[in-house]
Amino acid sequence: MDYLPDDNSRYKDVDYWDERYKTEHSYDWLGRFSKFQHLLEKHVKKEDSILVLGCGNSSMSGDMYDAGYHSITNIDYSSVCISTMSARHSNCPGMMWHEMDVRQLSFPDAYFDVVLEKATLDAMMVEEKTPWEISPQTADFIHKALTEISRCLKPGGRFVSVTFTTPFFRKRLYARSEYNWSVAQYSYGDGFEFFVYVMTKGEELSPEDVALEKKLQEENKSPLPRVARIQYNTIQNETEEDFLSDFNL
């Protein structure tokens, strides 16, 4: 089966994913867990309670379980995905699977030590034309998701985001004092660089990030239009399918 959709907007459509997950066994955006395991091990302890957002049919949760992370809750908005992955990992005590929207997490406040996402937020921005000024709809989606993530993190908990988006653009979304976390950045990859952001709940933004937030707030008040347009047209991944190469983020 050809899993490439006719239009990138289908990546935001749960019906597309339901159909895809009926036949596709596994796919890992941005590489397998082993590619960034060395970074994760510095910020996530084996005994941590972990929430994986938009788990899909990735091997990541299973690989993490094999590496000793045994308290993993996985969510995805595809019921087909959750049913399939739950059955596939039925022999993994402590591994849980729930159909859920990242904007409305049905967990108590301060519930997880770690919230982890890999390319889930990227997939929600497939239709954006510029990283400088995303649409109000996408901005609202991302804000609701980040607010929920912050709510569910324990004090000192970490939100780990794995993405292809550079700090120049991604920190514009993450470096906001209302989320009550600090922002650190790392990278990995051969040939093309991917990024890992670690937000720690309860820590203050760095002076640099405070200045960035203030600058963005002032820009949003300005009536002058932004004219800069940057596109990434040469992104490479490890397999033939690469929806990321069409992102204008």
Side-chain angles (χ1 to χ4, degrees):
M1 175 181 176
D2 184 5
Y3 297 112
L4 286 173
D6 296 332
D7 187 274
N8 268 6
S9 63
R10 292 296 313 282
Y11 283 115
K12 298 171 69 175
D13 186 350
V14 67
D15 293 335
Y16 162 77
W17 292 108
D18 281 343
E19 287 301 313
R20 176 168 177 166
Y21 291 139
K22 288 178 182 178
T23 55
E24 183 183 64
H25 182 266
S26 181
Y27 191 83
D28 276 285
W29 314 107
L30 312 183
R32 293 179 65 103
F33 171 64
S34 59
K35 295 292 186 179
F36 59 94
Q37 181 176 358
H38 63 291
L39 296 174
L40 197 76
E41 288 175 340
K42 297 178 180 179
H43 301 280
V44 183
K45 299 186 287 288
K46 299 293 176 62
E47 63 271 20
D48 282 343
S49 58
I50 302 167
L51 172 63
V52 175
L53 305 176
C55 60
N57 58 13
S58 167
S59 64
M60 182 176 68
S61 292
D63 290 343
M64 290 179 63
Y65 194 91
D66 291 342
Y69 299 94
H70 289 170
S71 180
I72 304 177
T73 299
N74 303 271
I75 70 166
D76 199 283
Y77 70 167
S78 168
S79 59
V80 175
C81 166
I82 293 302
S83 176
T84 299
M85 296 297 282
S86 177
R88 185 179 301 172
H89 297 87
S90 59
N91 62 338
C92 298
M95 184 93 80
M96 295 181 288
W97 306 85
H98 301 287
E99 180 184 350
M100 199 176 299
D101 189 319
V102 297
R103 296 167 295 179
Q104 194 171 7
L105 301 176
S106 57
F107 303 107
D109 295 353
Y111 193 72
F112 292 100
D113 296 299
V114 175
V115 176
L116 171 63
E117 72 91 17
K118 181 160 74 79
T120 299
L121 297 183
D122 290 338
M124 295 299 104
M125 294 191 281
V126 291
E127 294 182 283
E128 297 306 307
K129 303 304 180 184
T130 167
W132 296 94
E133 193 171 16
I134 62 177
S135 68
Q137 294 81 7
T138 298
D140 182 65
F141 185 105
I142 298 298
H143 176 61
K144 287 180 177 177
L146 295 178
T147 299
E148 279 291 271
I149 291 167
S150 177
R151 180 185 66 79
C152 289
L153 278 175
K154 297 177 182 178
R158 284 80 63 206
F159 168 40
V160 181
S161 175
V162 185
T163 173
F164 74 96
T165 306
T166 65
F168 187 82
F169 293 116
R170 187 46 61 94
K171 288 182 72 174
R172 300 165 73 90
L173 301 177
Y174 291 163
R176 295 175 62 170
S177 56
E178 64 187 291
Y179 300 139
N180 188 29
W181 58 37
S182 60
V183 182
Q185 64 196 53
Y186 309 88
S187 64
Y188 70 96
D190 300 319
F192 188 82
E193 189 177 24
F194 299 118
F195 300 90
V196 176
Y197 299 91
V198 179
M199 280 60 70
T200 302
K201 181 74 175 289
E203 291 187 354
E204 295 182 354
L205 292 173
S206 67
E208 176 188 1
D209 289 338
V210 169
L212 173 62
E213 181 182 26
K214 182 178 180 181
K215 177 184 177 183
L216 294 175
Q217 289 172 343
E218 292 173 349
E219 287 180 357
N220 289 335
K221 295 177 182 178
S222 173
L224 298 176
R226 298 189 180 112
V227 295
R229 295 294 182 265
I230 295 178
Q231 295 183 341
Y232 297 152
N233 297 315
T234 58
I235 293 176
Q236 300 295 321
N237 207 338
E238 296 179 351
T239 64
E240 293 181 1
E241 180 181 16
D242 185 14
F243 74 88
L244 299 180
S245 64
D246 293 325
F247 283 16
N248 297 325
L249 295 176

